[in-house]
Amino acid sequence: MLIGDPEYASKSREIYKNMGVTAYTYNIAESEQYKQIYSLLQKIRPNILILTGHDAFMRKRNDIYNIDNYKNSRYYIQGVLEARRYEHNLDNLVIFAGACQSYYEAIISAGANFASAPKRVLIDMMDPLIVAQTIAYTPVEEFIPLENILSNTREGIDGIGGLQTRRTIQNGNASIII
């Protein structure tokens, strides 16, 4: 998991440890994450990638489809593009990207399996962790149940969205870069 917030990175590390999931947590500013993703993916070879931190939609600008109206969405998009350069298959590397009020449609279009925030709402810091945990414990060759993920997040479909994704890794063998 690449996280732009040191407090969240520390909490995430502890939560994943308690879940029994192998997670590599890096506190990297949102604007720097995409620059380090490819080399981290080569080094660790994870099954799940979480790109998160902070974001914001500048409502006074009023155009949700203009990337310039977001604080950090462009960096999440660049990060997803770098990750897909490393692994094209959406089932071999499952990606969650975004944060509060992120440009959901552009992040999904870049190649993320899951992203925030379809309705430009604030998400809970636990939401990316819930997504990762569900992915890690979904049986092999089963579709990841989006409704199960959403029912456990703060804002549900308004805060997290995604694509139908099939797991191809074994339970207990999930490794995550956060």
Side-chain angles (χ1 to χ4, degrees):
M1 180 179 245
L2 286 99
I3 304 174
D5 181 305
E7 183 180 339
Y8 178 57
S10 176
K11 287 180 183 179
S12 296
R13 225 177 271 114
E14 187 62 31
I15 291 167
Y16 281 116
K17 182 179 175 185
N18 291 339
M19 278 192 237
V21 175
T22 303
Y24 302 86
T25 308
Y26 298 89
N27 176 230
I28 302 170
E30 294 86 353
S31 62
E32 298 297 312
Q33 290 177 2
Y34 75 95
K35 298 173 186 175
Q36 297 184 37
I37 286 173
Y38 196 87
S39 63
L40 287 170
L41 290 170
Q42 286 182 311
K43 176 182 169 185
I44 297 169
R45 301 177 135 359
N47 311 106
I48 303 167
L49 173 64
I50 308 289
L51 302 171
T52 194
H54 297 288
D55 206 352
F57 171 64
M58 293 162 242
R59 293 199 185 279
K60 63 182 175 253
R61 296 189 183 165
N62 207 27
D63 181 2
I64 66 169
Y65 300 108
N66 182 340
I67 191 67
D68 294 328
N69 294 340
Y70 294 86
K71 181 178 179 184
N72 289 314
S73 287
R74 77 177 68 255
Y75 304 122
Y76 297 125
I77 293 163
Q78 289 172 310
V80 171
L81 291 170
E82 276 299 298
R84 287 296 168 222
R85 188 169 68 88
Y86 169 80
E87 175 56 68
H88 299 284
N89 187 310
L90 274 68
D91 297 331
N92 289 341
L93 177 63
V94 178
I95 301 173
F96 173 94
C100 293
Q101 300 180 330
S102 289
Y103 189 172
Y104 169 80
E105 297 84 356
I107 295 170
I108 291 291
S109 292
N113 302 71
F114 302 95
S116 60
K119 298 292 184 185
R120 309 313 188 263
V121 298
L122 302 178
I123 65 169
D124 189 271
M125 74 162 274
M126 290 298 295
D127 290 350
L129 301 171
I130 291 166
V131 172
Q133 180 182 27
T134 305
I135 295 164
Y137 288 106
T138 297
V140 174
E141 299 300 327
E142 284 190 19
F143 285 105
I144 296 167
L146 189 56
E147 59 280 350
N148 289 1
I149 294 171
L150 298 179
S151 68
N152 291 309
T153 62
R154 183 173 82 182
E155 298 297 328
I157 192 81
D158 291 349
I160 305 290
L163 307 173
Q164 190 82 342
T165 301
R166 185 181 296 273
R167 274 251 340 232
T168 58
I169 56 176
Q170 298 290 327
N171 280 346
N173 291 334
S175 59
I176 305 169
I177 292 181
I178 304 169

